Amino acid sequence: MGTDLWYQGVDNRRLDLMAYANLQGSEAGLAATEVFLEKLWQRSYQAINLINTGIKGVGNAGLTDAVRVTREAELKFLRAHFYWLLTEQWGDVHFTTEPTSGVQTTANKTPRAEIYKAINADLNIAIANLPAVTSQYGRATRSVAEAFMARVQLTQGNYAQASTLAQKVIADGGFSLVPKYADLW
């Protein structure tokens, strides 16, 4: 939550997260008061369950082969994203690639290394199967998956792979910086 990648701004509504406030219960056993983290946990697992359902059913959705492959790659990109959020915040977390239905009363605690193995596998599929460009705003592309894979490699300490992927996105992604910084606003 807190970071050295940016400074808190005047209009930042979540200063407590930037300062790591209200994230832990007290020594007296009081619960943390930060609802945002609870929502991040809940909504991430809700999304993962929908994604797992989508991956399981995409083959029976009546899509052409090309569209099916792209949609499955998009879903795997999203699953990698949500598991990355969870494991970066909480370390070893519950991990499943199967959809659930009904109430779950048990969970596993999968080692972070195994979760990263699955994240890498999902992102490799995304990179191999996502289009370079899309006409539908908001859909994942190959460059997005490569850039995210670079970020994932950084968090794992694989600096050479991260650099290679980032350089590929810069060279092949068709992106450029705005000539004048002030033009952003």
Side-chain angles (χ1 to χ4, degrees), residues 9-20:
V10 174
D11 61 345
N12 188 332
R13 295 181 186 105
R14 305 308 315 207
L15 295 177
D16 50 344
L17 292 176
M18 295 291 295
Y20 300 104

Side-chain angles (χ1 to χ4, degrees), residues 4-5 84 87-88 112 116 119-120 123 145-167 170:
D4 60 356
L5 297 177
W84 181 79
T87 198
E88 279 303 296
R112 193 174 184 195
Y116 267 114
I119 289 169
N120 289 330
L123 287 175
E146 289 169 338
F148 187 58
M149 178 66 107
R151 175 74 185 262
V152 168
Q153 294 306 310
L154 279 176
T155 59
Q156 295 177 88
N158 301 328
Y159 304 120
Q161 290 119 318
S163 177
T164 299
L165 283 163
Q167 293 298 328
I170 292 167

Side-chain angles (χ1 to χ4, degrees), residues 9-137:
V10 174
D11 61 345
N12 188 332
R13 295 181 186 105
R14 305 308 315 207
L15 295 177
D16 50 344
L17 292 176
M18 295 291 295
Y20 300 104
N22 301 324
L23 302 180
Q24 298 284 340
S26 71
E27 290 182 17
L30 299 174
T33 58
E34 185 48 63
V35 175
F36 174 79
L37 293 175
E38 182 179 343
K39 293 291 184 194
L40 176 63
W41 177 274
Q42 289 172 348
R43 291 190 176 140
S44 293
Y45 278 112
Q46 289 170 342
I48 288 168
N49 192 51
L50 287 172
I51 291 163
N52 287 340
T53 301
I55 291 170
K56 186 171 186 175
V58 73
N60 299 321
L63 304 171
T64 66
D65 286 344
V67 173
R68 179 191 51 76
V69 168
T70 300
R71 295 300 175 257
E72 185 173 352
E74 290 170 341
L75 288 165
K76 290 194 174 191
F77 170 80
L78 289 170
R79 182 168 65 187
H81 171 73
F82 282 106
Y83 272 123
W84 181 79
L85 285 174
L86 288 167
T87 198
E88 279 303 296
Q89 293 305 314
W90 289 282
D92 301 345
V93 295
H94 177 75
F95 178 81
T96 183
T97 57
E98 291 296 318
T100 59
S101 61
V103 176
Q104 290 258 322
T105 58
T106 59
N108 62 56
K109 189 173 183 179
T110 303
R112 193 174 184 195
E114 281 185 47
I115 295 169
Y116 267 114
K117 192 175 181 179
I119 289 169
N120 289 330
D122 278 353
L123 287 175
N124 282 327
I125 289 169
I127 289 167
N129 294 294
L130 286 172
V133 296
T134 179
S135 61
Q136 294 178 308
Y137 182 78

